[in-house]
Amino acid sequence: MRAMNAASTPVVLCCFHCGESVPESADFVIRYRQRSEPACCAGCQAVAQSIIDAGLDAYYEQRDRPADRAEPLPSALREQLRLYDDPQLQADFVADSGELKDAALMIEGITCAACIWLNERQIARLPGVSDVSINYTSHRARVRWDPAQTSLSAVLEAVAAIGYRALPYDRVRQEAAQTKARKSALFRLWVAGLSMMQVMMFAVPVYLAPTGEIEVRWLDLMNWASFVLTLPVVLYSSWPFYVSAWRDIRRGRAGMDLPVAVSVVLAFAASVYAMLTDHGEVYFDSVSMFVFLLLTGRYLESQARAKAGAALEQLAGLIPAFAHRLANYPRDRMTHEVAVTRLAVGDVLLVRPGETLPADARVTEGVSQVNEAMLTGESLPVEKRVGDVVTGGTINLASPLIVSVERVGQETRLAGIVRLLDRALAEKPRLAQLADRISGRFVAALLVVAAAAWWYWHLHDPLHALPIAVAVLVISCPCALSLATPAALTAATGALARRGVLISRGHALESLAQVTDVVFDKTGTLTLGRPVLRAVHPVAGMSKDEMLRLAAALEHHSEHPLAGAFAGFGGSMMAGDVVSHPGGGLTGTIAGRHFAIGHPDFAAGFTTSTRPEVPESSDGTLLALVGEDVWLGWLVLADALRPDAAAAVARLRQAGLRTHVLSGDSAGVVAHTAGELDIEHWQAGASPEDKLACIKALQTQGARVLMVGDGVNDAPVLAAANVSIAMGGGTDVAQSAGDAVLLENHLKRIPEAILFARRTRQIIRQNLAWALLYNLVALPFAVAGWVTPWLASAGMAASSLLVILNALRLTRLPRRY
């Protein structure tokens, strides 16, 4: 940062932002118009870069003096933040996402949408940060970064540099912070309400008494008393508005709290001036009432937003704090209570009836029933036996279970669900982005309109110029416009999550509402993805039961997927000397007799007798059974339909949607499945490239395509569709490519989700229409002087609250769903 001239004299560099000298040890650079400029500290660098990134770089040409210096972060705070780079400390809130890291953070100090924008921009400009999104409802941030280019402490420092505080997400800590914020908001509201009531006691007699009836000395006394009672409202209750407005001004933005702060300061200052000079009117009653009504609306709004986002917080809080570990299992069954954060893969735990599973695990001992309703939306308990997988966050109902931990912390299924839901709530769909852009520009225009209204009335009726300007600023604050879309999306996402449909991307609900065609993969999506026995055709006088027992005894020794179709048919019959012939089948001995089962050509090699006629109903995999040089019969295996597939497809057709099957299986198998489900449009033998081409062809014809799939080969098609749903039992690749996930593979949830998405779209349109109509109608009334400041504040608060209450209609699904 230093250069030497010919006389070896150090050249002193000045900070580009504040003009002070740059310390020799400083290494902070500001990127300004294709060149690098020095900064004296991280604070100046952050402020300057935010101004430039916001498109306000002309500020540095037009200013007449350097800006105030932004204080650097204290060294003690920097050292504290760097502790979060410890991998052990990150284990509970940072997950590996390939070569990147993904952290869950909570941001303290957020008051409005402008705060979200500022924090996202501040974090996103760090090198190595690939993605950042902040949920306005929960103030939870998801940050993804490359650890080779930046660190978690750098992210935390960037947030601290602009006056906010980022901390690792901790549900207990967040609840404590929310409780503290709620108490603070209530106390500010109480101060404003008490002041309003007392000030109105002095104001009402003045309004009601005829002119001149009250002596001047008593009027002065009441004005001074009103001043004293209003002072706490202006200095304490209104403080959050000043802080938010000042942040916006420093970043060159016109946020929603700026008109509010200007209104309070102007009205109070004008009242003080009128009181001291005995010229004009005082508005202490209007100030206190305005702040009280506004704080009331904000408080109710925050409570409604908390209710709308309750699904995410409820999921995040499912994991218990402690678990019962069997340290010396199976030698003894003495349990030790340990913190869940200390669990490791391989730990053996005892889960008693009524307790919540602390991690993803596998049952090693015991039989019980588990309630998975919080994850899947299904109220019926699921039976769990030895070898079954249990999910952290579900509840053991009937009997004790001993389980072996397989995944902990951020690797559990519940943590993955929370990450997907976080991403969905934080991503802004097109409508929300449009509303944010409109509201930001609207605030700037509102300031201009208020100034023009004041100027006009100052020329024609100076006494009422100020209250009219204040009313204009207050009544048209676009809070309702900014809340219209995110409030509805948050409520809808939470409601669907409770029904087992996890929306993982922000645009999914908007796109689902516009779907015209639904394309299904077959295997693992419309079908169970495992073979079942469809038909048995014995010959040579063999009975079906005996034939099944023989086949099951042989297949018991096979690990081939087809062998699972014979489980439970073997009885006491046992096969010996079983040999597997890859690509062919199995041979073995049962009760001293030799048998073979497998592909017809393979089985034909073990007998010289004439092959019997192949049965007509052979759609599926055909196996032959031979024994002692005799053909014993045919077995037909097929992939069974999911129990709710037919009902789901029928409901989609009732909703006016076209359905398609797109599969890589043979034409006969796909045609049979499509016929069972009454689906007219199907394509068989489709490679991943063929599937992609089919989706593109539908989109070219104007279709809005929903793709439903489960496999790795479906990932490109899921990504290419307008909106996609991945099966919850599918691969991780498919789930990451999907815009939504069916947690328990229930196809009946798909038509429910589409109908609910349409309802959500209606609510959003209602909210936006109301917000725009309110502003268009209210603004002319305020400019005309027909609205007082306190009435304007009531109207603005009521407008925002109405939008939130309308969105809360989505927190639960109608009964018909």
Side-chain angles (χ1 to χ4, degrees), residues 66-278:
D68 294 333
R69 178 173 180 171
E71 291 296 326
L73 296 178
S75 58
L77 178 58
R78 287 173 177 267
E79 291 300 320
Q80 185 181 30
L81 294 179
R82 285 180 183 139
L83 293 176
Y84 288 111
D85 292 333
D86 184 350
Q88 279 190 322
L89 196 59
Q90 294 182 4
D92 294 332
F93 64 95
V94 176
D96 290 328
S97 180
E99 297 181 354
L100 304 178
K101 287 188 176 294
D102 189 330
L105 305 174
M106 58 182 187
I107 310 293
E108 294 183 353
I110 289 176
T111 59
C112 66
C115 299
I116 301 290
W117 176 89
L118 178 58
N119 278 277
E120 287 179 343
R121 293 291 294 269
Q122 178 75 352
I123 297 172
R125 71 181 186 83
L126 292 175
V129 173
S130 63
D131 183 51
V132 56
S133 54
I134 302 175
N135 180 6
Y136 179 53
T137 299
S138 64
H139 300 171
R140 190 204 306 258
R142 280 284 170 188
V143 183
R144 185 174 296 176
W145 75 93
D146 183 353
Q149 298 185 54
T150 193
S151 62
L152 178 61
S153 62
V155 174
L156 303 181
E157 286 182 26
V159 174
I162 55 175
Y164 297 85
R165 188 182 184 199
L167 296 169
Y169 176 74
D170 182 295
R171 185 169 182 262
V172 174
R173 180 182 292 172
Q174 186 177 49
E175 286 181 350
Q178 290 174 344
T179 300
K180 181 180 178 182
R182 184 169 59 252
K183 288 181 178 179
S184 176
L186 273 174
F187 191 69
R188 294 182 193 278
L189 179 60
W190 177 81
V191 170
L194 185 62
S195 171
M196 178 194 68
M197 290 186 292
Q198 296 299 320
V199 172
M200 289 303 294
M201 289 176 60
F202 300 120
V204 170
V206 176
Y207 291 148
L208 298 180
T211 304
E213 182 174 324
I214 301 177
E215 296 181 21
V216 174
R217 59 174 179 166
W218 297 117
L219 285 175
D220 291 341
L221 181 61
M222 286 189 287
N223 286 340
W224 276 100
S226 299
F227 165 75
V228 172
L229 290 168
T230 307
L231 201 57
V233 177
V234 176
L235 298 181
Y236 174 70
S237 296
S238 302
W239 187 252
F241 304 130
Y242 305 149
V243 173
S244 179
W246 178 241
R247 283 177 182 155
D248 291 334
I249 293 172
R250 289 178 59 191
R251 305 291 169 239
R253 282 177 50 85
M256 287 179 289
D257 282 336
L258 183 57
V260 175
V262 171
S263 302
V264 172
V265 172
L266 278 180
F268 183 74
S271 300
V272 172
Y273 175 80
M275 181 184 68
L276 295 176
T277 63
D278 199 23

Side-chain angles (χ1 to χ4, degrees), residues 349-624:
L349 308 177
L350 171 64
V351 185
R352 300 185 177 102
E355 292 183 342
T356 301
L357 274 297
D360 292 359
R362 191 174 296 273
V363 179
T364 59
E365 185 178 324
V367 177
S368 185
Q369 291 181 321
V370 173
N371 182 356
E372 299 182 344
M374 283 306 301
L375 295 178
T376 66
E378 287 295 323
S379 57
L380 295 177
V382 180
E383 187 170 290
K384 298 293 181 180
R385 298 179 175 273
V386 174
D388 290 343
V389 173
V390 287
T391 304
T394 58
I395 301 173
N396 181 25
L397 296 177
S399 305
L401 289 176
I402 294 178
V403 300
S404 176
V405 175
E406 294 189 339
R407 290 186 289 184
V408 296
Q410 291 298 306
E411 301 304 317
T412 61
R413 184 186 182 199
L414 180 61
I417 290 172
V418 171
R419 280 197 297 274
L420 290 175
L421 191 55
D422 248 344
R423 181 178 69 182
L425 292 174
E427 286 183 356
K428 296 180 178 64
R430 181 181 55 84
L431 280 175
Q433 293 172 356
L434 178 62
D436 284 347
R437 286 197 299 269
I438 292 174
S439 61
R441 294 170 183 171
F442 188 84
V443 169
L446 178 62
L447 294 172
V448 174
V449 172
W454 178 87
W455 179 253
Y456 172 84
W457 285 103
H458 182 71
L459 295 177
H460 295 81
D461 188 358
L463 189 62
H464 294 95
L466 183 61
I468 288 174
V470 170
V472 170
L473 286 171
V474 173
I475 200 168
S476 295
C477 183
C479 299
L481 185 61
S482 293
L483 290 171
T485 301
L489 291 178
T490 299
T493 301
L496 285 174
R498 290 191 295 271
R499 298 282 287 180
V501 182
L502 182 64
I503 302 297
S504 59
R505 296 190 188 275
H507 74 88
L509 279 171
E510 184 180 353
S511 300
L512 272 174
Q514 303 169 356
V515 164
T516 60
D517 292 67
V518 181
V519 178
F520 291 97
D521 175 49
K522 186 187 78 69
T523 305
T525 302
L526 289 172
T527 65
L528 294 173
R530 62 177 186 270
V532 295
L533 189 65
R534 175 170 288 177
V536 180
H537 301 279
V539 295
M542 172 95 37
S543 69
K544 288 186 178 182
D545 289 342
E546 184 179 2
M547 186 175 170
L548 277 175
R549 286 197 298 271
L550 290 171
L554 292 170
E555 293 288 354
H556 176 73
H557 297 270
S558 174
E559 296 182 357
H560 193 280
L562 293 178
F566 296 93
F569 292 110
S572 59
M573 189 176 289
M574 302 293 293
D577 301 324
V578 177
V579 178
S580 175
H581 303 267
L586 300 169
T587 59
T589 303
I590 301 175
R593 299 169 59 193
H594 296 285
F595 294 90
I597 185 172
H599 190 277
D601 293 338
F602 165 77
F606 293 87
T607 178
T608 57
S609 62
T610 305
R611 179 186 299 192
E613 185 178 352
V614 177
E616 294 182 1
S617 58
S618 58
D619 291 327
T621 301
L622 186 67
L623 299 181

